[in-house]
């Protein structure tokens, strides 16, 4: 099957793009804004993509803020830090609850009854119940490509 996602010409009840790469781990991203307000949000477009240097990504779509960004992305760009906490099957219900659109000052972790623990290398806290935490610093790199002229 060939389809173009922007044209939605797949003829299926749901967009198949979301199911093309599976299993897809969920990164539960903790971040802090410059004033120290913590945000927790699940990202299913998350993964480790390189081991040297260790590189983690999460892709943030459009948000509901005035600037069109999600709180996680806004926080990471402002502070340069985040934690990717792994979601387990046992944490799935709380993860779904943290996907709700809340005001930036609302505490998702308190709302769903999650405990935090301090990170070692970055300021955003870790989700204590998560078995794995990747403490990350935000970097930007660009690759410039030159296309052939003939």
């Amino acid at each position: 099957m060939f389809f173009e996602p922007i044209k939605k010409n797949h003829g299926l009840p749901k967009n198949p793009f979301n199911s093309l790469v599976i299993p897809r781990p969920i990164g539960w991203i903790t971040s802090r804004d410059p004033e120290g307000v913590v945000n927790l949000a699940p990202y299913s477009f998350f993964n480790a993509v390189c081991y040297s240097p260790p590189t983690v990504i999460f892709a943030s779509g459009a948000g509901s803020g005035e600037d069109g960004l999600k709180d996680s992305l806004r926080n990471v760009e402002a502070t340069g830090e985040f934690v990717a906490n792994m979601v387990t099957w046992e944490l799935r219900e709380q993860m779904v609850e943290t996907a709700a659109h809340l005001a930036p000052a609302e505490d998702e972790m308190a709302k769903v009854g999650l405990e935090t623990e301090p990170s070692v290398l970055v300021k955003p806290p870790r989700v204590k119940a998560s078995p794995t935490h990747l403490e990350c610093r935000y970097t930007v790199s660009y690759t410039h490509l030159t296309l052939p002229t003939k």
Side-chain angles (χ1 to χ4, degrees):
M1 166 200 262
F2 177 84
F3 74 98
E4 296 174 74
I6 198 160
K7 291 183 179 178
K8 301 178 183 175
N9 59 353
H10 48 73
L12 300 171
K14 293 188 177 191
N15 186 346
F17 180 79
N18 295 348
S19 300
L20 292 176
V21 178
I22 54 173
R24 195 166 63 230
I26 297 173
W28 224 353
I29 306 301
T30 50
S31 62
R32 285 173 36 145
D33 72 12
E35 289 74 43
V37 176
V38 175
N39 179 265
L40 175 65
Y43 284 86
S44 63
F45 287 97
F46 148 85
N47 221 315
V49 294
C50 185
Y51 67 89
S52 182
T55 305
V56 173
I57 63 162
F58 72 93
S60 180
S64 57
E66 290 180 20
D67 58 5
L69 301 177
K70 289 188 177 179
D71 296 338
S72 301
L73 180 57
R74 186 181 315 104
N75 294 348
V76 171
E77 287 185 337
T79 66
E81 298 180 333
F82 68 96
V83 178
N85 305 274
M86 296 303 293
V87 176
T88 62
W89 181 253
E90 295 76 23
L91 295 170
R92 70 191 179 279
E93 291 177 12
Q94 289 166 302
M95 181 275 302
V96 169
E97 290 180 53
T98 63
H101 295 285
L102 301 178
E106 289 188 69
D107 185 340
E108 291 88 356
M109 288 197 236
K111 182 176 176 144
V112 301
L114 289 170
E115 291 183 60
T116 65
E117 62 184 4
S119 292
V120 176
L121 302 173
V122 297
K123 291 181 181 173
R126 303 185 302 193
V127 175
K128 187 174 183 178
S130 174
T132 306
H133 316 97
L134 304 172
E135 298 183 17
C136 303
R137 290 202 173 86
Y138 176 65
T139 60
V140 178
S141 65
Y142 297 94
T143 301
H144 293 81
L145 303 174
T146 304
L147 300 175
T149 56
K150 293 185 180 183

